Amino acid sequence: MSEVSVSKIFGFGEVLSQLYNIVFRRRLEFKFELIPYVSEGLTLKKIANFFIFGLNQFILQSKPLGYPLIAQVEPTNFCNLSCPLCLTTSVTPSRLRSIMPFETFKKLIDEVGDYLLLIVLWNWGEPFLNPDIFRMIKYAKSKNIIIHCSTNGNVRFNEKMTEELLDSGLDTLIVAVDGATEETYRKYRKGGSLQKVLTNIRTIVNAKKRKGIETPRLNLRFVVMRQNEREIPLIKKLARELDVDYLTFKAVYMPCELGEELDRNYVPENQKYRQYEYEDRNFVRKKKSFRCVRPWKRITVDALGEVISCEFDYKSTHSFGKLKGDKSVMAIWKSHKAVDFRKHFNMGWNEYYLCKDCTYKNMTVEDCNIEKIDLKH
């Protein structure tokens, strides 16, 4: 059976083989960032919105059809590490340091939760620094929404926190480990400890086994860079020893605003893990076709409660409005300000600071997640 790619919204050809299951069995299979998901018990609201919303990628009118299928929510906009390529450290401090209140999250879920298939519960910042993170997950799960979250693993998962994690219903937890040795890990994850991360992973895996549960599925994520690519065999061995569910390899994110030498300094030698082709050894990226539907395909809310055009608007410059008071979430997402933005967006070919040098431009791969190893099959 073919699976729907939520990152593309969906193609009619892809969904055709699942039509019977969607309509009559209320069941949908899809992949997000290479990880397979199954959404079961779909309501008629979700099914109808799934098809209505899917038309957006073909029509792209300035006011989207239907409700969003995906939400990206930022629980915090700060972090306990200082990774050199992460804009949390270098750019988002221009925003007010914030933790999203539970009531802001609840407002979003109360209005659009009946239509959402998936929530990406992170953006710029470490999600588990929000004291209400497990309450948020539980509330979203009450609406039968799949929750996909990420952590740097340097927040201590003691017995109480681990129990809360397992009881929350979280579907998948990415744990970022960009080195298989302490020395290599600390070159990028500055301020972090690989041993602390490994201890946390073992704690969660052991607690899952004691409870006899499969979620959250743990995805050990390795961002492949020149500094760590020699440790790919070691991280494969380590992932199996840890007994996690998946190991995924991701192309390194290199935002141009942090300098012009990033490609030269960080791009791996192994071309399999590169997201760009280069014109020469000066690492000039070859131009590739690019069509962006991000302002249509998901609703993105930052830690301040601002509904923004996409997760790469890390300065929240193009806010459509703030979730507060009686103002409707959908009224903001389809507001005059949002409509005007989409009119001028031109599918990514514009001079907006977040689009001009977007890291998704000129990519040779469909997604920056390059490879997945399923360690349970």
Side-chain angles (χ1 to χ4, degrees), residues 46 123 323-324 347:
K46 284 195 179 184
N123 196 15
L323 297 182
K324 62 180 180 179
M347 292 177 289

Side-chain angles (χ1 to χ4, degrees), residues 56-276:
N56 284 315
Q57 69 184 10
F58 304 105
I59 299 172
L60 290 182
Q61 60 184 44
S62 53
K63 184 178 288 188
L65 301 171
Y67 287 74
L69 276 180
I70 308 171
Q72 179 138 13
V73 180
E74 183 180 67
T76 67
N77 63 2
F78 58 90
C79 189
N80 51 343
L81 302 187
S82 299
C83 305
L85 295 180
C86 183
L87 295 168
T88 301
T89 302
S90 57
V91 175
T92 57
S94 63
R95 288 192 277 155
L96 180 67
R97 182 182 171 101
S98 301
I99 293 175
M100 177 179 283
F102 175 75
E103 290 305 317
T104 300
F105 183 80
K106 182 176 182 295
K107 179 177 176 61
L108 174 71
I109 300 303
D110 285 346
E111 186 165 341
V112 303
D114 287 339
Y115 304 91
L116 291 174
L117 284 175
L118 173 77
I119 293 177
V120 181
L121 197 56
W122 85 88
N123 196 15
W124 304 104
E126 168 54 49
F128 290 90
L129 294 177
N130 187 318
D132 284 325
I133 188 71
F134 301 119
R135 191 179 173 197
M136 289 175 168
I137 295 167
K138 271 190 171 182
Y139 195 73
K141 291 302 295 181
S142 72
K143 298 283 189 179
N144 194 24
I145 305 168
I146 289 170
I147 314 294
H148 177 77
C149 196
S150 178
T151 180
N152 61 41
N154 279 273
V155 178
R156 182 169 174 258
F157 282 88
N158 55 25
E159 185 177 344
K160 179 178 181 296
M161 192 169 174
T162 302
E163 285 296 311
E164 287 185 290
L165 173 69
L166 269 55
D167 292 343
S168 69
L170 179 65
D171 293 278
T172 304
L173 179 62
I174 295 168
V175 184
V177 179
D178 302 326
T181 62
E182 194 74 52
E183 180 184 6
T184 300
Y185 175 86
R186 292 190 184 216
K187 284 180 181 177
Y188 186 75
R189 296 284 167 180
K190 295 186 182 299
S193 163
L194 177 60
Q195 287 309 307
K196 181 185 286 187
V197 177
L198 300 183
T199 296
N200 283 333
I201 291 172
R202 293 185 179 108
T203 298
I204 296 168
V205 168
N206 290 336
K208 283 173 59 180
K209 289 178 179 178
R210 284 197 306 271
K211 282 181 168 282
I213 60 176
E214 295 183 356
T215 56
R217 295 177 299 172
L218 296 182
N219 174 12
L220 198 69
R221 175 173 283 173
F222 191 88
V223 178
V224 184
M225 296 171 274
R226 185 165 301 176
Q227 295 87 336
N228 65 11
E229 63 182 318
R230 72 183 186 282
E231 294 190 349
I232 288 176
L234 287 177
I235 201 68
K236 289 179 178 179
K237 181 174 183 289
L238 181 59
R240 291 187 176 90
E241 290 173 355
L242 291 169
D243 200 21
V244 295
D245 299 275
Y246 303 105
L247 170 64
T248 54
F249 295 97
K250 185 175 182 179
V252 60
Y253 171 81
M254 296 178 289
C256 294
E257 52 268 67
L258 297 185
E260 297 180 357
E261 297 297 311
L262 298 183
D263 294 75
R264 184 191 303 277
N265 295 334
Y266 285 95
V267 69
E269 293 292 340
N270 190 336
Q271 297 197 18
K272 175 181 178 179
Y273 299 107
R274 293 182 178 186
Q275 61 178 328
Y276 308 111

Side-chain angles (χ1 to χ4, degrees), residues 4 34 43 113 126 157-158 181 196 243 318 326 330 355 374:
V4 176
L34 303 183
T43 62
E126 168 54 49
F157 282 88
N158 55 25
T181 62
K196 181 185 286 187
D243 200 21
H318 297 286
D326 297 329
M330 293 306 293
C355 304
D374 188 337

